[in-house]
Amino acid sequence: MTIRLKLALVLLAIALIVGVKSAKAQSVAAEALGADYFEIFGEVELEATGFFSNPQFAGQDRDDFSIAAEPTVLVEWLGGDVVFRFTPFARFSSQDSRRTHADVRELKVDGTFGDFSFTFGADTVFWGKTEVVHLVDIINQTDQVEAIDDEARLGQPMIRLGYLTEFGELSAFYMPYFRERTFPGESGRLRSNPAVDTESPIYDADAEAEEFTPSFALRFAGSFGDIDLGVSGFHGLGRDPTFVPSATGLQPFYEIINQVGIDAQYTWEATLFKFEGIWREGQRNLAFEEENFVAATGGFEHTLFGVADTNADLGIIAEYAWDSRGNDSLSAFQDDLIGGFRLALNDEEDTTLLLTGSIDTNDASMTTRLEAETRIGENWKLLAEGQGFFNSGSGINKSPLADDSFLRVKLKYFFGG
């Protein structure tokens, strides 16, 4: 398709004709579908990313400008017991052809009948409790061209069945199709060296059907007094690839894994104690040797309400992340201390700021991350995010991200809703 994915599918048909603004048009659509409710809403985003240093590798561009759209079509029947959601996403990037991409975040039907529920289609599911490291969250693949913080996810085709008990909800997932991770290309910043060759993925010998190899998961999530608890199990192609060097770059290698996870949060007055832990088997490490491992992250967030006699609340964050594979871990968090704070001004503009930092206790490399946002009127929001990489080595040991500290500013327009 190219020409930057036909200008990111003409930015999803101009965000589905800007939400079909007419209330009458939406009412007519609901009647035609025999639905109780019909609505189109979403957002359009302008983004500018500036890097503080010149690129480290040939072919990389200095800065990036992009535009993105994420509309949602929502239809409800049976008083909301059956719901259809369609949320496509597209971005056009001036820097990296791989960051110009489109995805279906949601295309699903949700149903609720008494204590039973189901989802059929593509969905985005989040598991976990901790702030920086998301160990147990394994249903959706990471959309790494969108963000480096592991927050953006690709829509996952699935069938989910849920049963609500007096203690919590038990959910079973069947995922018939595997989504490969997205990676920046040769011209993109925040990439590996060499760049990942996404055209030539390699699959585990046990995954003969490749991307059509099914995955399965079970999860229980419930509350017991002041404790929120999640217990999960997963079998299928792991979302975290290892890599095989080749003449065309790093080839991602996906293998069959088993994972058991637990996530918990305990609320004690103004303090949240958080924990995530996993045991995984079947995955190769950085040395490309199969190694079963345990990883855990945990800590607390304590909130100070009404700081300095204002409406503002200040949350103090402290966490620790550990991986039994040590320096052979595929994760950036093997033995890291994490700290930060979250500021909510509680003003009319809903202004918030989150600043976190981590330090590797082995090599003293550090990263910092900033996220801030504020509303402008009823339909606009201004956001800023940035990340800094410090003490990342030199010479042949220099990290591919050493010169990629950046600041990103976004202006979002919300329509419908």
Side-chain angles (χ1 to χ4, degrees):
M1 186 172 274
T2 62
I3 306 192
R4 292 298 181 88
L5 202 62
K6 298 296 184 184
L7 293 180
L9 305 184
V10 190
L11 221 57
L12 293 180
I14 312 302
L16 296 182
I17 316 303
V18 194
V20 186
K21 280 192 171 183
S22 166
K24 183 176 180 180
Q26 297 198 24
S27 177
V28 170
E31 184 176 348
L33 293 168
D36 300 324
Y37 184 77
F38 178 95
E39 183 182 13
I40 297 179
F41 58 92
E43 62 187 59
V44 177
E45 170 191 290
L46 295 173
E47 178 191 277
T49 304
F51 291 85
F52 296 106
S53 301
N54 289 321
Q56 186 178 164
F57 307 113
Q60 289 183 317
D61 288 335
R62 174 64 187 261
D63 303 308
D64 180 44
F65 301 92
S66 70
I67 182 171
E70 190 175 49
T72 292
V73 178
L74 175 68
V75 190
E76 296 182 357
W77 294 270
L78 302 179
D81 286 341
V82 177
V83 179
F84 168 81
R85 289 179 69 100
F86 173 44
T87 304
F89 170 84
R91 180 178 299 279
F92 172 79
S93 167
S94 67
Q95 181 195 73
D96 185 0
S97 60
R98 288 194 190 168
R99 197 162 190 251
T100 294
H101 69 301
D103 182 46
V104 176
R105 302 305 202 208
E106 297 176 307
L107 179 56
K108 62 173 182 172
V109 175
D110 289 318
T112 303
F113 300 96
D115 294 331
F116 293 91
S117 63
F118 73 86
T119 298
F120 181 82
D123 199 6
T124 303
V125 176
F126 176 77
W127 297 348
K129 298 291 190 296
T130 53
E131 184 64 44
V132 175
V133 186
H134 308 302
L135 292 174
V136 302
D137 193 31
I138 196 172
I139 293 294
N140 294 85
Q141 179 61 273
T142 300
D143 190 354
Q144 199 159 311
V145 296
E146 263 307 293
I148 197 173
D149 63 351
D150 199 31
E151 298 285 349
R153 299 300 175 103
L154 300 173
Q156 173 61 51
M158 68 174 67
I159 298 174
R160 181 196 64 86
L161 299 176
Y163 177 66
L164 188 64
T165 73
E166 61 178 308
F167 303 106
E169 185 172 34
L170 180 64
S171 300
F173 298 80
Y174 167 68
M175 293 157 280
Y177 184 78
F178 175 75
R179 303 295 309 275
E180 296 168 6
R181 182 169 295 189
T182 60
F183 291 96
E186 290 282 348
S187 62
R189 301 292 290 265
L190 301 165
R191 71 162 172 86
S192 59
N193 181 39
V196 176
D197 177 12
T198 57
E199 300 298 318
S200 306
I202 304 171
Y203 286 89
D204 191 328
D206 293 332
E208 295 181 0
E210 298 187 337
E211 66 266 37
F212 289 96
T213 300
S215 298
F216 307 87
L218 283 172
R219 176 171 167 83
F220 171 81
S223 296
F224 303 87
D226 295 326
I227 298 175
D228 296 327
L229 178 67
V231 180
S232 58
F234 175 90
H235 170 80
L237 284 166
R239 275 48 178 162
D240 302 325
T242 48
F243 298 96
V244 179
S246 72
T248 59
L250 298 178
Q251 291 180 262
F253 180 83
Y254 299 101
E255 54 215 313
I256 300 291
I257 66 163
N258 294 305
Q259 176 177 302
V260 176
I262 182 170
D263 55 281
Q265 179 175 290
Y266 172 62
T267 304
W268 180 64
E269 297 181 349
T271 305
L272 302 177
F273 294 95
K274 306 176 183 183
F275 173 82
E276 293 186 31
I278 62 169
W279 170 83
R280 183 182 295 177
E281 70 170 356
Q283 184 165 16
R284 287 168 172 79
N285 58 26
L286 197 60
F288 209 68
E289 298 174 349
E290 189 170 308
E291 179 182 3
N292 299 343
F293 71 94
V294 175
T297 181
F300 69 86
E301 179 173 353
H302 178 73
T303 302
L304 303 172
F305 297 100
V307 175
D309 295 324
T310 68
N311 292 327
D313 300 329
L314 179 66
I316 301 170
I317 300 167
E319 295 180 350
Y320 172 68
W322 172 81
D323 190 311
S324 66
R325 295 171 294 180
N327 291 331
D328 285 333
S329 172
L330 297 170
S331 169
F333 299 95
Q334 306 130 5
D335 189 3
D336 292 64
L337 295 171
I338 300 163
F341 68 84
R342 187 195 317 274
L343 179 65
L345 296 185
N346 296 319
D347 54 2
E348 292 184 2
E349 293 78 24
D350 287 336
T351 305
T352 62
L353 183 147
L354 174 64
L355 179 64
T356 58
S358 66
I359 180 169
D360 189 310
T361 62
N362 293 314
D363 62 14
S365 60
M366 296 182 290
T367 64
T368 58
R369 183 166 180 83
L370 168 71
E371 299 177 20
E373 62 179 58
T374 187
R375 279 207 331 263
I376 304 173
E378 293 185 0
N379 300 102
W380 296 86
K381 182 178 285 189
L382 181 66
L383 304 93
E385 66 179 70
Q387 194 144 341
F389 306 95
F390 306 98
N391 195 28
S392 299
S394 60
I396 61 173
N397 295 319
K398 189 174 185 180
S399 164
L401 302 180
D403 295 335
D404 281 354
S405 297
F406 68 91
L407 179 65
R408 178 172 287 161
V409 178
K410 304 179 181 184
L411 181 63
K412 289 189 178 186
Y413 172 72
F414 295 88
F415 56 86

